[in-house]
């Protein structure tokens, strides 16, 4: 009875967190999909007569240093950051899953080569390697996506490889090999389906991580062009206003970055606890 009584508050708290995360994710999806078509407003429209106005009914989030509506700019910035995060996370997951599955399935020298490459790339900080990659291109969405994808497949490859090595010891794999199944068939029909839940979870966990990297690169002036709305660009352009005492150009883009990423991380955490409750730390990226 005591154990049950202690477990109930934990379940209730977890249910509240999941509900709040789902609500935020749904609201974000509706905002980025519905607001721009319905608003029919130019988020780049400049109105110097209305610059740096505090939040009001006309401008709920206020205006920036050239009079642009900050709410609309935040929605467009979140739209871009989500696009970068989703595409980069999907690309990194595909690359990491394929690499980890092949390394774990074949073993031997292919596994050793792949893991040495993974160890070498892991020794370099993600942000530093990302800066090096985007510096070779002009500022834009695709260089940022490529940069984030190429620096974030490593964790997925390690997770998938460890799962494949674990699956290889299962009796059904021995039965398939004894029945004459080729190595390729074993990988495609038995090993890959077994690691898909872990790979999907890694992709969801990677989305907020990729959004933060895009914002960091844009904040440093190496990501998206300065005129394009992204959450990193909005925070970077608001630094001067913050020093002058105008808090809203920095606060609202920051909240648009923090709250959705926390919601996505909360959903991923609930998924992680459901599919693998005993090894919560293994899938942290």
């Amino acid at each position: 009875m005591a154990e049950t009584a202690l477990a109930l508050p934990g379940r209730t708290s977890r249910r509240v967190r999941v509900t709040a995360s789902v609500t935020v994710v749904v609201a974000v999806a509706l905002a980025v999909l519905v607001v721009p078509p319905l608003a029919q407003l130019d988020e780049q429209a400049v109105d110097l007569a209305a610059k740096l106005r505090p939040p009001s009914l006309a401008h709920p989030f206020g205006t920036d240093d050239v009079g642009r509506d900050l709410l609309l700019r935040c929605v467009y910035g979140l739209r871009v950051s989500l696009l970068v995060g989703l595409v980069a996370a999907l690309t990194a997951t595909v690359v990491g899953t394929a690499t980890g599955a092949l390394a774990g399935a074949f073993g031997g020298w292919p596994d050793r080569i792949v893991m040495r490459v993974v160890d070498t790339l892991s020794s370099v900080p993600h942000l530093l390697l990302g800066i090096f990659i985007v510096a070779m291109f002009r500022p834009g969405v695709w260089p940022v996506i490529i940069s984030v994808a190429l620096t974030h497949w490593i964790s997925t490859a390690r997770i998938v490889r460890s799962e494949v090595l674990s699956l290889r010891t299962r009796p059904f794999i021995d039965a398939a090999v004894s029945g004459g199944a080729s190595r390729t068939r074993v990988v495609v029909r038995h090993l890959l389906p077994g690691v898909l839940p872990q790979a999907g979870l890694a992709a969801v966990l990677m989305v907020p991580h990729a959004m933060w990297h895009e914002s960091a690169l844009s904040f440093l002036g190496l990501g998206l062009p300065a005129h394009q709305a992204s959450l990193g660009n909005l925070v970077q352009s608001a630094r001067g206003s913050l020093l002058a005492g105008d808090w809203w150009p920095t606060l609202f883009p920051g909240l648009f970055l923090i709250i959705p990423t926390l919601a996505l991380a909360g959903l991923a955490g609930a998924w992680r606890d459901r599919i693998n409750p005993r090894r919560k730390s293994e899938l942290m990226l």
Side-chain angles (χ1 to χ4, degrees), residues 129-265:
L129 185 58
I131 290 174
F132 173 77
I133 294 173
V134 296
M136 296 187 295
F137 302 93
R138 291 183 177 180
V141 173
W142 286 109
V144 176
I145 291 175
I146 294 172
S147 169
V148 175
L150 291 181
T151 56
H152 287 73
W153 62 271
I154 302 168
S155 298
T156 304
R158 281 179 165 168
I159 293 169
V160 171
R161 175 182 175 271
S162 65
E163 290 296 322
V164 168
L165 292 176
S166 176
L167 289 173
R168 283 178 57 182
T169 63
R170 305 290 177 84
F172 70 90
I173 299 296
D174 294 334
V177 174
S178 300
S182 65
R183 184 170 293 184
T184 303
R185 182 177 178 84
V186 170
V187 172
V188 174
R189 294 294 300 273
H190 300 288
L191 295 180
L192 278 180
V195 302
L196 284 181
Q198 308 287 3
L201 175 56
V204 176
L205 282 168
M206 204 179 300
V207 172
H209 201 59
M211 291 175 63
W212 277 96
H213 268 258
E214 178 276 321
S215 299
L217 291 172
S218 297
F219 182 83
L220 295 173
L222 298 170
L224 275 66
H227 69 275
Q228 186 171 0
S230 77
L231 297 178
N233 280 341
L234 292 178
V235 174
Q236 196 279 338
S237 63
R239 289 186 304 166
S241 302
L242 182 63
L243 293 176
D246 300 319
W247 50 268
W248 57 93
T250 304
L251 174 65
F252 292 114
L255 291 177
F256 264 63
L257 177 62
I258 294 172
I259 294 176
T261 54
L262 287 178
L264 288 171

Side-chain angles (χ1 to χ4, degrees), residues 51-56 59-63 247-248:
K51 68 177 183 179
L52 289 177
R53 288 187 177 177
S56 62
H59 302 285
F61 285 4
T63 60
W247 50 268
W248 57 93

